[in-house]
Amino acid sequence: MDCMVTGGNVKVLAKAIHSLSRIGEELYLEPQEDGLALRTVNSSRSAYACFLFAPLFFQKYASGRNPTFRCKMAVKCVQAVFRSLSSLEKTVERCHIELNVEKSRLTFTLHCKHGLLKTHNLSFQDSESLQAVFDKDSCPNILQAQPRLLVDTVLHFPPSLEEVSVSVSGERVWFRNHVEEEAERSRAMLTELCISAEEFEQFAVSAPTRITFCLKEMRGLLMFAESSGLPVSLYFDEPGRPVVLSLTDSVLEVNFVLATLSEESHPQNHDNTNTDRRAQPPPPPDDFMNDDMDFLIAMETTELAAGGSGCSPPQAQDAGMSQLRTRAASEGEEEEEDGEEEAEDTGRPPNKKFRSLFFGSVLPTSSQATNQTLRSQDVLASDSEDEDPESS
Amino acid sequence: MKFRAKLVDVGCLNHFTRVVNTISKLTKTCTLRLTTDNLFFMLSDKVANGGVSMWCELSQANFFDEFQLEGVSAEANEIYLEFQPENLSRALRTAQNAKSLKIKLTKKHCPCLTLAAELPSLSSVSRVVTHDIPVDVIPRRLWQDLKEPSVPEFDVSHRVQLCRLITEAEVSIYLPPLKTMKNVVDRMKNLSHHLVVEANLSGEMNLKIETDLVSVSTHFKDLGNPSWGDDSSQGPSQDRAAEVMACARVDIKKLQQFLASQQVNPSKAMC
C-alpha cells in the first residue's frame, strides 16, 4: 500500500483520525479498490465509524500488491502523527503513507516546510475487516441539515450528557436530554429543543418516532462535519435499530452507525391507542408560544389557613417515554444483539442498554467477540479463520 | 400559586444572566423569593462558620416586560422556591440571543421553573428551547427563617446588592474596584488562610495578612464612605474618630470566592 495526501487534505485526514479517536481505541485500516477505509468501533460495539477516502482524495493511491492487507493499530499512535491541527495546516505539505512489508511497519512521512521530514513507523496487527451491517436506504426516516444546525443544537446540552432523544413528527424534530435513572429523574434538569422541518435540507419522516442514542459519539462526527462544511444526514428507523449519521462528497464518505435504545415490549398492549402512544412523541404544547397553557402547582408542601389554593392534577407524564430495555426481539433479520454481558465486562454501564451492532466478520482478539458470533442468529458473512494477532 | 414572566430585551436578558452567574458561583443551592414587585435570591446559612451569606434584590420591572404572580394566598402573595442556580445559569447561557424568554412555574415530574426561549432560526418558524429546572416549594411556615437582613436602604442607582459580610456596622466604606481587590486577594491567598480587612470613616481601607515569615498589606485611599439613610444605625459610628480603623478577620478563600464570582459590574460596592 502506498498513498500520498497533499495540501488541505492532510488536515481532513487528521480530523478524521481525531474524530475516530472519539469513538474507539483501535483504528482499522484497509486499503480497498474503491479507496482507503479507516474504521473503528467502541468497546461495547454500540458505535461504529467509517471514513472511506476515494482514490481521488489522494495525489497518488495504490492499494498494493497484497489485496487483502488489513490492519489495526492503536488510534492514539496514529493521532500522535497528526497531533497539532493548527501547525499541521501551516507546515505540512504532504503526507505519505506506505506499508513497509519487510519491517512490518506502516510508515507515515510528513513532508513539511523547509525540507523537514517527520517519519513515523507504526507497528500494526493484522486483522479481519471491520464492517458493520447497515442499510441506509431502507431507513424510512431521513433528515439532512447543515452541520451548523446540529452543532447549535448540541450546544444546549451539557458536555457531560450521555444520551439524547430525538423525536420526529411530520413537521418538527425535538432533541431532549435522556434521563435514565428514576432517582435522577426527579432532580434532573430537562432540556428540550424544538426545530421546524423547514430548517432541514431534507426532512422525510414516515411515522412519528423517537430514538435515543449516545450524544458523545455524535459529537465526534459533528467535530468533523463542522470543519468540512458538508451536510449531515441522519438515517433512522424505529427505536432499537441503529441510526446512521452520514456525510458524503465526491472523494469522501463518512458513516457513523450508532445503536439506539430499544423500547420495552408490552405484550398486553395490542390495541391501537397504546401503540400509537408509544410510537408518538408527546407533542409539546404548541400554544406555549401563544402563552395559553398554564400550570398550577400542587400544594403538597404547604398547609395554609386558607387551604383554598386549588390543586390541579399534575401534567400527564410523557406517555411515550417508556422504560428502555435490551430485550432482543428475535426476528429473521435481526441486526442487533444483546450487549449486556459484554458491557459488564468492559465496565461501561451507560452503554449496557444499547444493543451492540452486528458485524459481518469475526474479530479475533477477544473472547467477547467469540461469544457474539456464536449468539448471532444470522450469518451474513462466511466464517473466517482467526488470524494470528501477532505480527511478525 | 402561579408565576409567569416574559423578558424580551437582550440587554436585560444579559444582565439577568450575569446576576444568576454570579450567584451560581457563590452557592450550590439558593432560595428565590418572588413578590409582585421583586425577585430576591437569598442564601442565609453557614454564617456562623464564616461562610458567605447572600441577599440579592432585583426589581422585576427592570428586567421583565410581563410579570404575573399569584402567591401562596391573598395575604401572603409571595412564592418561595429552593433551586440550584447552576441549572438556571446553564439554561440562560444558551439563550443569550433569544428573541424572547418566558419563565413559568409548572408542575412536570415535580415542581419546576420552566424557561422557554424563542431562538432565531433559518426559517420562519423559530426554534424553541425549553428547560425544566426542578425546584422545591418552600412552605410558608419556613418563611420567617428567610427574612431579609436588616440593613437600611441604600441610595444607589442599581438596586442590586450582592453580598454582605456580616459584621457590626461600625464603619461602612465604598470598596475599590473589585477587579483590583480580586488581584490583591488572589496573591495573598497563597500566603495565608486569613485576611484582615480594615477600614475607617476617612475612606481608607487596608487588606492585611500576617504569617511567621511575611506580612503584606495593601492600602487604599479616598474610597469614600456611604451615608446611611437611617439615623438610628449611625449611632455607634458617630462617636468614632475618623481615622480609627474597624477591622475584621475573614477566611481568605471565602473572600476570594466572592470576588471571583462577580460577573456584574456594579456602579457601587460597599463594605
Side-chain angles (χ1 to χ4, degrees):
Chain A
M1 172 190 135
D2 189 339
C3 49
M4 179 86 81
V5 185
T6 56
N9 283 352
V10 177
K11 191 171 177 197
V12 176
L13 180 65
K15 287 216 108 162
I17 290 165
H18 286 291
S19 199
L20 287 163
S21 73
R22 304 281 287 259
I23 305 283
E25 292 182 353
E26 288 181 319
L27 178 68
Y28 290 74
L29 191 142
E30 184 174 348
Q32 301 168 174
E33 281 303 314
D34 56 349
L36 179 66
L38 299 179
R39 302 187 180 102
T40 190
V41 67
N42 72 354
S43 48
S44 52
R45 305 257 192 280
S46 59
Y48 158 94
C50 171
F51 283 78
L52 180 64
F53 296 96
L56 281 176
F57 177 81
F58 303 90
Q59 190 189 56
K60 175 178 75 161
Y61 179 75
S63 57
R65 257 171 278 133
N66 180 2
T68 57
F69 170 67
R70 294 175 212 114
C71 70
K72 66 175 180 179
M73 54 194 107
V75 74
K76 284 202 168 14
C77 295
V78 191
Q79 247 188 318
V81 176
F82 299 98
R83 192 179 296 282
S84 163
L85 287 170
S86 51
S87 72
L88 216 67
E89 205 175 8
K90 294 187 200 124
T91 59
V92 178
E93 292 166 354
R94 311 199 285 290
C95 170
H96 186 204
I97 308 173
E98 190 179 8
L99 171 64
N100 186 329
V101 179
E102 303 88 54
K103 294 194 193 148
S104 291
R105 293 280 185 271
L106 198 60
T107 304
F108 287 77
T109 310
L110 299 176
H111 298 250
C112 308
K113 280 193 182 144
H114 313 302
L116 187 66
L117 276 178
K118 294 184 192 171
T119 309
H120 301 255
N121 291 307
L122 304 184
S123 61
F124 55 83
Q125 292 179 335
D126 289 327
S127 81
E128 273 305 311
S129 179
L130 178 73
Q131 279 268 27
V133 178
F134 61 95
D135 182 8
K136 286 190 287 197
D137 298 324
S138 69
C139 287
N141 303 310
I142 309 171
L143 304 181
Q144 185 182 65
Q146 284 298 314
R148 188 75 238 160
L149 177 69
L150 295 171
V151 169
D152 284 346
T153 300
V154 306
L155 269 180
H156 290 279
F157 300 99
S160 57
L161 181 65
E162 291 273 347
E163 290 147 15
V164 70
S165 286
V166 178
S167 312
V168 285
S169 74
E171 296 166 10
R172 300 227 180 107
V173 58
W174 294 267
F175 292 83
R176 288 185 194 95
N177 60 326
H178 178 73
V179 182
E180 187 63 32
E181 304 298 326
E182 268 308 322
E184 274 178 45
R185 199 184 279 265
S186 58
R187 302 318 305 174
M189 180 166 134
L190 297 179
T191 301
E192 174 190 286
L193 178 61
C194 175
I195 305 180
S196 147
E198 289 174 25
E199 297 208 55
F200 288 80
E201 295 184 353
Q202 187 186 2
F203 196 93
V205 170
S206 71
T209 321
R210 166 189 283 162
I211 53 166
T212 301
F213 56 92
C214 192
L215 181 59
K216 172 172 159 272
E217 282 141 13
M218 178 162 141
R219 287 191 211 261
L221 174 80
L222 290 180
M223 231 177 66
F224 181 84
E226 206 183 0
S227 63
S228 74
L230 295 170
V232 179
S233 303
L234 272 91
Y235 297 84
F236 55 101
D237 198 337
E238 55 190 21
R241 298 186 78 81
V243 55
V244 183
L245 304 165
S246 177
L247 285 148
T248 3
D249 78 359
S250 51
V251 292
L252 171 64
E253 187 180 330
V254 186
N255 286 306
F256 274 51
V257 185
L258 309 178
T260 63
L261 286 176
S262 65
E263 290 197 302
E264 184 176 349
S265 49
H266 296 282
Q268 283 94 3
N269 299 342
H270 290 305
D271 51 276
N272 285 338
T273 32
N274 282 336
T275 326
D276 287 350
R277 205 154 25 101
R278 218 176 14 177
Q280 186 142 14
D286 263 15
D287 27 29
F288 198 111
M289 310 278 282
N290 301 327
D291 220 12
D292 284 349
M293 298 288 280
D294 217 345
F295 300 99
L296 296 176
I297 279 265
M299 298 294 293
E300 305 101 51
T301 52
T302 55
E303 60 296 341
L304 301 175
S309 30
C311 298
S312 80
Q315 173 72 359
Q317 181 54 275
D318 287 353
M321 201 178 300
S322 49
Q323 278 306 320
L324 304 166
R325 300 276 184 272
T326 53
R327 203 113 334 260
S330 45
E331 302 161 49
E333 276 142 22
E334 186 55 59
E335 284 189 358
E336 299 91 324
E337 294 173 348
D338 206 338
E340 221 160 3
E341 300 142 35
E342 234 188 287
E344 278 164 30
D345 289 343
T346 61
R348 283 181 61 173
N351 282 328
K352 78 169 163 239
K353 301 253 170 25
F354 287 95
R355 296 165 157 194
S356 59
L357 307 167
F358 182 73
F359 290 89
S361 322
V362 176
L363 298 168
T365 46
S366 63
S367 56
Q368 294 163 5
T370 319
N371 283 344
Q372 186 182 15
T373 329
L374 289 175
R375 294 184 48 160
S376 69
Q377 309 275 343
D378 272 306
V379 178
L380 296 180
S382 56
D383 283 343
S384 352
E385 282 177 332
D386 290 5
E387 298 274 339
D388 187 330
E390 295 305 319
S391 54
S392 48
Chain B
M1 204 163 59
K2 186 163 108 175
F3 168 60
R4 227 206 259 169
K6 184 170 165 183
L7 192 155
V8 296
D9 179 77
V10 164
C12 294
L13 176 57
N14 217 273
H15 193 169
F16 185 70
T17 306
R18 278 184 278 129
V19 171
V20 174
N21 286 344
T22 304
I23 293 163
S24 71
K25 289 189 175 17
L26 282 174
T27 175
K28 284 206 162 36
T29 329
C30 171
T31 302
L32 170 62
R33 173 183 167 205
L34 299 163
T35 68
T36 43
D37 295 324
N38 294 302
L39 295 96
F40 299 84
F41 292 99
M42 307 182 289
L43 173 68
S44 61
D45 61 358
K46 299 184 287 194
V47 178
N49 297 336
V52 175
S53 145
M54 173 197 65
W55 180 78
C56 169
E57 178 185 334
L58 303 176
S59 167
Q60 61 90 348
N62 288 342
F63 294 91
F64 296 95
D65 292 60
E66 288 170 26
F67 195 91
Q68 293 167 26
L69 179 90
E70 269 174 36
V72 142
S73 71
E75 59 281 355
N77 198 20
E78 302 183 350
I79 301 177
Y80 281 65
L81 303 170
E82 194 176 76
F83 73 110
Q84 291 175 351
E86 168 62 32
N87 284 339
L88 186 55
S89 181
R90 201 153 46 85
L92 290 169
R93 191 174 308 150
T94 56
Q96 287 308 295
N97 57 346
K99 296 193 225 170
S100 75
L101 175 73
K102 291 181 190 159
I103 307 182
K104 276 189 197 175
L105 191 57
T106 60
K107 179 146 175 62
K108 304 274 167 92
H109 46 281
C110 67
C112 284
L113 211 54
T114 297
L115 269 77
E118 205 183 318
L119 300 170
S121 82
L122 302 166
S123 76
S124 53
V125 182
S126 300
R127 296 178 199 173
V128 180
V129 62
T130 315
H131 298 274
D132 293 316
I133 301 170
V135 299
D136 281 322
V137 180
I138 299 180
R140 191 160 169 208
R141 62 175 189 274
L142 298 176
W143 289 8
Q144 68 221 32
D145 299 340
L146 298 161
K147 266 198 159 28
E148 62 187 77
S150 53
V151 283
E153 286 283 313
F154 287 103
D155 176 25
V156 290
S157 53
H158 271 301
R159 296 190 48 203
V160 177
Q161 299 144 10
L162 287 169
C163 177
R164 295 196 178 92
L165 294 169
I166 307 296
T167 65
E168 291 192 65
E170 294 182 354
V171 169
S172 58
I173 189 166
Y174 287 116
L175 290 175
L178 292 181
K179 206 159 175 212
T180 312
M181 232 178 119
K182 175 177 176 307
N183 286 340
V184 169
V185 174
D186 277 347
R187 279 145 186 72
M188 289 180 168
K189 183 177 69 129
N190 298 326
L191 299 169
S192 165
H193 290 303
H194 293 97
L195 179 145
V196 172
V197 180
E198 281 185 345
N200 66 18
L201 288 170
S202 307
E204 291 172 345
M205 183 170 113
N206 302 328
L207 301 175
K208 291 179 170 176
I209 55 167
E210 192 169 317
T211 68
D212 292 339
L213 295 174
V214 66
S215 46
V216 182
S217 69
T218 305
H219 305 262
F220 298 92
K221 289 197 306 202
D222 299 327
L223 294 172
N225 302 84
S227 53
W228 299 70
D230 188 354
D231 286 326
S232 60
S233 74
Q234 281 207 334
S237 51
Q238 277 170 351
D239 302 336
R240 188 185 202 85
E243 327 66 67
V244 174
M245 290 278 183
C247 58
R249 193 157 169 267
V250 296
D251 181 330
I252 209 172
K253 281 199 175 49
K254 299 279 191 316
L255 178 60
Q256 196 260 350
Q257 183 190 20
F258 160 66
L259 291 167
S261 70
Q262 296 309 301
Q263 306 274 303
V264 184
N265 290 323
S267 52
K268 287 187 173 72
M270 280 152 263
C271 175

